[in-house]
Amino acid sequence: MNCRVIFRGGTGEFFSKGQLLPSSNGFLLKYTLDGDSCELCVEGKTIRQTREGSVNIQMSFTQNEQSLCHIRDGELSGSFPVFTYFLSSSVNEKGAKVKLEYECADEKITLEVIAEVL
């Protein structure tokens, strides 16, 4: 399903276009960000985020657990820990929503991603 993707967080609000693909235990949201291909995959109680292009990122989130963020930007690459304080997700015929609160690089981040079916 084609959708409008809304991102809300500490840096404000921005938009993209994407594709929402519901599944039996979550959904896959494909979108572009600054020309890079991105995916947000919700499977049960875990969320995976990937970005491929000029910047490559792989992150996963599970509430009250620590994971690693892997990033490559040009010739620079590395990993750092991510701790997820809270996550929730929902999907229906009108769209999907994800709320995340996590900490990485000593910064606490609150992010909401909304996919509105067009």
Side-chain angles (χ1 to χ4, degrees):
M1 299 181 277
N2 290 330
C3 61
R4 179 173 90 137
V5 185
I6 305 162
F7 302 88
R8 292 185 182 132
T11 58
E13 184 175 87
F14 57 97
F15 305 89
S16 184
K17 291 182 181 177
Q19 185 113 54
L20 177 62
L21 307 163
S23 66
S24 61
N25 65 341
F27 60 89
L28 175 62
L29 178 61
K30 296 181 176 189
Y31 59 95
T32 58
L33 185 61
D34 298 326
D36 293 350
S37 297
C38 304
E39 291 186 353
L40 191 68
C41 181
V42 176
E43 293 180 305
K45 296 181 180 189
T46 299
I47 297 173
R48 287 181 292 111
Q49 182 180 23
T50 60
R51 177 175 175 168
E52 295 180 349
S54 61
V55 177
N56 295 285
I57 298 174
Q58 293 180 337
M59 298 175 77
S60 67
F61 305 93
T62 302
Q63 189 165 309
N64 296 319
E65 290 189 14
Q66 183 171 299
S67 61
L68 286 176
C69 172
H70 304 283
I71 186 167
R72 185 170 50 88
D73 187 355
E75 293 186 20
L76 301 174
S77 65
S79 299
F80 53 87
V82 175
F83 184 84
T84 304
Y85 293 100
F86 174 80
L87 71 79
S88 69
S89 65
S90 61
V91 63
N92 60 35
E93 67 280 349
K94 294 181 181 179
K97 182 184 282 190
V98 167
K99 288 186 178 182
L100 283 168
E101 290 180 20
Y102 63 96
E103 185 174 329
C104 66
D106 295 326
E107 181 180 3
K108 194 165 184 182
I109 297 167
T110 300
L111 176 65
E112 184 175 32
V113 181
I114 302 165
E116 297 176 340
V117 173
L118 300 175

